[in-house]
Amino acid sequence: MLNNTHPHVLMVYGTLKRPFSNHTLLMGARFMGEATTVEKFLMADGGFPRVAHVPRAPAYKDLAGQVRGEVYRCPDDVLTACDRLEGHPRWYCREKVSAVLDGANPTQVTAWLYIIRELPDMHSLMEPKNGLLTWGERAARFPTRSGVFTTTSK
């Protein structure tokens, strides 16, 4: 249930996650939990991740996976700051996706997710591990609370 002070639900998968450099923009947001998208996407790495829709071309099929990230409940000013960082709507587009929050009783939520407008170079795309795309291994080489290891390399 949303409230008036934190009306937006945002899923982040890159430098906005803990403990990365842009996480400070989420000060004032409320952490809801770690989550996985229902839909599959592509994820590119090049120092920071980029998530893209999966084209219909068969070459992309094995590179598609569900995105792992963190979900926050955000007030307007936090969402506006994140939009500025992500270049919404010029570079990334903020789109609504379904995601499942981890936990003993997994809960499906609808959250905003930043999706890159242009398809990344095929050579920069990450391969999913066990069907999941998770960015951030170099900064945190340990399993998340859900037991999923993070990765940034092919």
Side-chain angles (χ1 to χ4, degrees), residues 75-94:
D76 292 338
D77 62 324
V78 170
L79 190 64
T80 298
C82 291
D83 282 351
R84 253 191 318 272
L85 172 74
E86 303 294 1
H88 170 71
R90 295 172 317 282
W91 200 38
Y92 285 89
C93 288
R94 182 170 32 89

Side-chain angles (χ1 to χ4, degrees), residues 63-84:
L63 297 171
Q66 294 169 287
V67 175
R68 290 284 302 157
E70 299 173 349
V71 176
Y72 292 84
R73 194 180 307 252
C74 304
D76 292 338
D77 62 324
V78 170
L79 190 64
T80 298
C82 291
D83 282 351
R84 253 191 318 272

